């Protein structure tokens, strides 16, 4: 039996992600070499996880990774795999991944 308390989050998360054109996001990441030296956990995955954390109100890496792990079967709909706390910490520690993925103005 599915726990319906998590479904609204993914609906909202999916709707928010649809507002961000992925090709433009990837273009900016590429322009600024944001995913340089990245093997698995790319900038869009990090962005998705951080949006998820904001929606759910998670304020620690443990909360984020445990929340994602509890919904592991739904992660593939968002293009995510389970993420280790250390991987998320490393990605966040590197700041904006050697540059910025924000659109030029």
């Amino acid at each position: 039996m599915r726990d319906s308390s998590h479904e609204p989050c993914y609906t909202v998360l999916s709707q928010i992600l649809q507002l961000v054109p992925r090709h433009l996001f990837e273009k900016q990441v590429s322009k600024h070499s944001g995913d340089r030296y990245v093997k698995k956990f790319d900038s869009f995955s990090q962005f998705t996880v951080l949006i998820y954390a904001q929606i759910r109100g998670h304020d620690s890496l443990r909360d984020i990774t445990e929340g994602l792990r509890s919904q592991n079967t739904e992660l593939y709909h968002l293009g995510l795999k389970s993420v280790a706390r250390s991987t998320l910490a490393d990605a966040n520690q590197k700041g904006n991944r050697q540059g910025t993925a924000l659109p030029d103005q």
Side-chain angles (χ1 to χ4, degrees), residues 2-3 5 7 12 20 31 42-43 50 53 55 57-58 61 63 77 82-83 87-88 97 100 102:
R2 290 180 60 152
D3 181 6
S5 66
E7 290 179 24
V12 170
V20 180
K31 179 178 179 179
D42 64 4
S43 294
L50 294 176
I55 292 170
H58 295 308
L61 295 176
D63 286 345
H77 290 296
S82 185
V83 58
T87 302
L88 186 56
R97 304 238 192 201
T100 180
L102 297 176

Side-chain angles (χ1 to χ4, degrees), residues 8-79:
C9 174
Y10 281 110
T11 301
V12 170
L13 181 57
S14 297
Q15 291 174 354
I16 290 173
L17 290 175
Q18 288 174 359
L19 296 174
V20 180
R22 182 137 186 196
H23 69 281
L24 294 178
F25 185 94
E26 296 295 341
K27 183 177 178 182
Q28 290 298 314
V29 170
S30 178
K31 179 178 179 179
H32 298 284
S33 301
D35 280 342
R36 190 177 192 187
Y37 308 117
V38 173
K39 294 179 183 176
K40 292 184 180 180
F41 192 63
D42 64 4
S43 294
F44 196 78
S45 296
Q46 181 184 15
F47 176 72
T48 302
V49 168
L50 294 176
I51 295 294
Y52 163 83
Q54 186 69 34
I55 292 170
R56 298 296 293 176
H58 295 308
D59 57 0
S60 72
L61 295 176
R62 185 178 304 275
D63 286 345
I64 295 168
T65 55
E66 290 301 317
L68 290 169
R69 189 172 294 121
S70 73
Q71 300 176 14
N72 198 25
T73 57
E74 285 87 12
L75 290 178
Y76 73 93
H77 290 296
L78 299 173

